[in-house]
Amino acid sequence: MNKTILCILLLRLFIFHASAQNKPLHFAFLTDVHVSPHTPSEQNLADMVQEINAGHYDFVVVTGDLTNVGSDSELTTVHRILSELRPPQYVIPGNHETNWSESACQTFLKYWKDDRFFFERGKYLFIGFDTGPYMKMGDGHVKAEDIRWINRTLQQHYKAGLSVISLSHYPLTEGLDNWYEVTDVLKKYHTVLSLCGHGHRLSKYNFDGIPGLMGRAAMT
C-alpha cells in the first residue's frame, strides 16, 4: 500500500460501532486535496479514489478545499475524479470554493447540488455545513440560515441513543467568527466528534467541549 496515500486518507479510516449488533462503520475522510489539472495533485486524488474503491468503505466525506484556486476547470477535474468513487460521497466546500472561487460557489453547486448535507448511518447522525468565508480573505462564517438548518435538522432527527458527528471546512474555533453559535447548537445534542480541514495538519482539538479532529492536506 502506498504509505503517502495511507497518511493522506487521514489516517483515513474511522471505525465506530454503528448498530445494535456492533457492526463496524468504515468511512474515508478527505480534506484539502487542492487539485489543479495536469499537476501531481490530480493523480494524487485519482490514486486515493482507487485505494478507497479497493477497500470496504460505507461512504466518503470530503470537507472542502477541493481545488487550488477555485477555478471551474479545477472543479470539473475534481468532480470527474470523485465521480469514480464506488461508495456514496458527501462533499462540502472550503474557502477555495466559495468567494475565493471563479464562480462564487455556483460551479460547486452545479456539481454537488448543495453546500451542506445530512444523513444517518447506524447510531450516528452526520451533518456537514458550509463555513464560508463570505468576504475574500476574511474569517470563516456560518450563515444564520445554516445555523437554523443545523438546529432544525438535528431537532427533527435526534433521539436517545444517537450521536452526532459534525463536518466543516474551518475548525470550530478562532478563525471562524461565529464558531460559538455552532457549538451552542451542537452541544444541545450528543455530539461526539467534529471533523474539519483548513489547517493542513493532522491535529486533535477540543471545540468548546466537543472533541475535534483536523485532517491533513493531501500534498503535505
Side-chain angles (χ1 to χ4, degrees):
M1 179 179 291
N2 185 307
K3 293 181 180 178
T4 300
I5 296 173
L6 179 63
C7 290
I8 290 165
L9 288 179
L10 180 93
L11 297 157
R12 68 199 203 314
L13 179 63
F14 288 91
I15 302 174
F16 295 97
H17 294 297
S19 71
Q21 293 76 31
N22 286 333
K23 179 182 177 182
L25 174 65
H26 301 79
F27 66 96
F29 166 34
L30 308 180
T31 192
D32 296 273
V33 294
H34 288 283
V35 168
S36 292
H38 314 302
T39 70
S41 60
E42 180 179 355
Q43 186 59 49
N44 195 51
L45 181 59
D47 289 343
M48 286 191 280
V49 167
Q50 184 178 21
E51 185 172 346
I52 292 169
N53 286 341
H56 301 282
Y57 296 91
D58 296 290
F59 55 90
V60 180
V61 294
V62 189
T63 59
D65 277 7
L66 315 175
T67 64
N68 199 41
V69 298
S71 69
D72 286 351
S73 63
E74 289 178 340
L75 283 163
T76 299
T77 299
V78 174
H79 183 262
R80 173 180 55 79
I81 296 171
L82 291 183
S83 294
E84 297 297 319
L85 282 167
R86 291 174 189 154
Q89 60 178 275
Y90 301 93
V91 184
I92 50 176
N95 51 292
H96 286 241
E97 289 77 54
T98 52
N99 277 3
W100 287 31
S101 74
E102 179 179 346
S103 67
C105 209
Q106 294 310 299
T107 301
F108 178 92
L109 294 174
K110 180 180 94 171
Y111 285 133
W112 286 280
K113 310 306 180 187
D114 207 341
D115 60 359
R116 57 195 186 191
F117 60 73
F118 172 81
F119 62 96
E120 181 175 346
R121 288 294 181 103
K123 294 182 178 179
Y124 292 87
L125 304 178
F126 290 81
I127 191 156
F129 47 91
D130 186 8
T131 48
Y134 301 102
M135 292 182 64
K136 189 168 183 178
M137 307 304 293
D139 285 345
H141 180 80
V142 181
K143 293 178 288 188
E145 56 264 38
D146 283 347
I147 292 173
R148 290 193 295 269
W149 171 80
I150 294 167
N151 189 48
R152 182 174 65 250
T153 301
L154 293 178
Q155 192 174 54
Q156 289 172 351
H157 294 274
Y158 185 79
K159 57 188 176 185
L162 294 179
S163 299
V164 176
I165 296 176
S166 80
L167 301 100
S168 57
H169 180 65
Y170 280 78
L172 304 182
T173 187
E174 189 176 335
L176 184 69
D177 63 11
N178 61 337
W179 60 267
Y180 49 89
E181 295 182 67
V182 181
T183 56
D184 282 352
V185 171
L186 293 175
K187 288 193 299 182
K188 292 164 58 177
Y189 308 94
H190 185 225
T191 302
V192 296
L193 182 65
S194 176
L195 297 176
C196 66
H198 192 60
H200 291 196
R201 64 188 183 277
L202 186 64
S203 303
K204 291 171 62 177
Y205 284 89
N206 182 320
F207 297 136
D208 200 20
I210 298 171
L213 187 61
M214 176 185 288
R216 62 175 288 184
M219 297 298 288
T220 58

